[in-house]
Amino acid sequence: MWRYIGQRLLWIIAIIFCVAIIIFTIMYFVPGDPAAVALGNTSTEEQRYEWREMYGLNDSYIEQLGSFLSKVFLKMDLGTSYTFKTPVMTELGNRIPRTVMLGCICLFFNAMIGIPLGVLCALHRNSPLDSGLMVGAMAGVSIPDFWLALLMVILFSLTLGWLPAYGIGTWKHWVMPVIAGSIGGIAINARQTRSAVLETMRADFVTTARAKGLKEFNVVYKHMLPNALLPVVGMLGSAFARCIAGTVVIETVFSFPGVGTYLLSGISSRDYPIVRGCVLVLAIFAAFSNLLVDLIYAFMDPRIKAQYVAVSAKKGGGKSA
């Protein structure tokens, strides 16, 4: 198992390195002049040249890429924002906890509501309850997050005045962002859980358990669900990454001061350090969340754990021989 973790960590480093090169290349070749945005249209070409020289933007692609990679991977420096004149790492340190908190709350509701709804639909398959919930799940998957967020602002903030439209001052500020960020995940989890439970219902061990005369409660909750939820747990890693990345739109609509609004401000102002830093942070969260879910999946499934043990024993025996 430790060998597997070490290999995955090396792959994560390689992935982050590739992401850094890709996002730097994209921002290098993207049209537009950050000097013109920073100094304004009234600035002269000489002023823009001096500004680009100050930030090293007049260097060649290879020189800028080498400087960027050395700062990121050797000095842990994501650069200084052109717009805010503050280190990107410092600003991300203030914003990441809010985005992660929002993503974790959304993931919690995704699992705690979506999984029971999927189990309920599977146990009452082809019933009006099943059909109604699946239609609702289809609608939840299809509704864009930003459209739902805008409708919530219009209804609960402008029309009814129940909830604030922006900011993070009190718990009320979190209600609409959490709902808007959770609806799609709840629908996906419900559909995935329903399919997994229906597939497990036809397994031989479930038929055997019922043939032995076990109560239906024990068959469902002690034999069926632990096996049916394995693929659902495997999907939670991508769900968490989707929650974190999806907050870009949610945070923008509700003016939530997280990584998403910071990234959007960097894109609109051609602030390359902000865009590169935010993309790298999102990639790191996605990679480590998938690693964590893989480890949980291996811990829950004895077959995978036995496979790792067998591979380690085989390699150890080969070395001793």
Side-chain angles (χ1 to χ4, degrees):
M1 180 64 74
W2 290 109
R3 184 188 300 273
Y4 171 76
I5 296 175
Q7 292 175 350
R8 287 297 303 270
L9 289 177
L10 292 177
W11 273 110
I12 288 176
I13 295 175
I15 290 172
I16 300 304
F17 186 81
C18 293
V19 170
I21 295 177
I22 292 173
I23 187 58
F24 177 87
T25 304
I26 292 175
M27 298 308 300
Y28 181 85
F29 289 105
V30 71
D33 185 6
V37 177
L39 299 178
N41 295 328
T42 59
S43 60
T44 63
E45 184 60 34
E46 182 180 357
Q47 291 174 331
R48 297 177 185 179
Y49 180 85
E50 293 177 354
W51 188 92
R52 290 192 295 266
E53 188 69 23
M54 180 176 61
Y55 287 100
L57 298 180
N58 290 328
D59 297 336
S60 64
Y61 168 79
I62 298 298
E63 291 175 336
Q64 292 188 44
L65 177 61
S67 175
F68 171 70
L69 294 178
S70 63
K71 288 181 179 180
V72 171
F73 292 98
L74 298 180
K75 302 178 182 179
M76 301 296 292
D77 182 12
L78 296 176
T80 302
S81 168
Y82 303 154
T83 306
F84 303 104
K85 310 300 181 182
T86 56
V88 175
M89 184 69 75
T90 302
E91 189 66 25
L92 284 176
N94 296 329
R95 293 173 176 266
I96 286 174
R98 302 167 188 158
T99 299
V100 173
M101 178 65 70
L102 179 60
C104 289
I105 295 175
C106 292
L107 182 64
F108 173 79
F109 284 107
N110 290 352
M112 297 303 295
I113 298 177
I115 293 177
L117 286 180
V119 174
L120 185 65
C121 291
L123 296 179
H124 299 83
R125 61 186 183 279
N126 299 328
S127 66
L129 176 64
D130 179 29
S131 301
L133 289 177
M134 284 300 100
V135 170
M138 180 62 71
V141 173
S142 304
I143 295 176
D145 293 343
F146 71 90
W147 184 75
L148 177 62
L150 291 174
L151 287 183
M152 293 176 63
V153 170
I154 294 173
L155 176 61
F156 295 110
S157 296
L158 299 180
T159 304
L160 300 177
W162 291 352
L163 298 171
Y166 58 89
I168 55 170
T170 63
W171 64 269
K172 292 183 179 180
H173 292 83
W174 293 73
V175 174
M176 289 196 295
V178 168
I179 294 176
S182 301
I183 294 297
I186 291 173
I188 293 174
N189 277 338
R191 290 168 57 86
Q192 180 70 21
T193 303
R194 179 183 182 275
S195 300
V197 173
L198 289 177
E199 184 69 22
T200 308
M201 281 182 176
R202 295 187 287 268
D204 293 337
F205 68 90
V206 175
T207 305
T208 303
R210 285 173 174 161
K212 289 182 178 180
L214 294 179
K215 296 181 179 180
E216 188 65 19
F217 179 87
N218 294 331
V219 173
V220 172
Y221 291 97
K222 291 186 178 181
H223 296 273
M224 186 187 305
L225 287 185
N227 291 276
L229 294 182
L230 286 176
V232 178
V233 172
M235 190 184 65
L236 291 180
S238 59
F240 180 69
R242 186 173 58 252
C243 287
I244 297 296
T247 56
V248 174
V249 176
I250 301 300
E251 290 178 0
T252 302
V253 174
F254 295 106
S255 298
F256 191 90
V259 177
T261 52
Y262 194 48
L263 173 59
L264 190 65
S265 68
I267 294 174
S268 60
S269 60
R270 307 286 183 183
D271 202 326
Y272 296 164
I274 291 179
V275 178
R276 295 165 184 163
C278 291
V279 171
L280 282 176
V281 166
L282 295 177
I284 290 172
F285 271 107
F288 276 98
S289 62
N290 287 328
L291 172 61
L292 179 61
V293 170
D294 286 345
L295 296 178
I296 296 175
Y297 192 87
F299 178 78
M300 294 180 60
D301 193 342
R303 296 170 296 181
I304 299 179
K305 187 187 300 184
Q307 181 181 359
Y308 292 146
V309 173
V311 171
S312 300
K314 184 177 179 180
K315 291 182 178 180
K319 290 180 180 181
S320 63

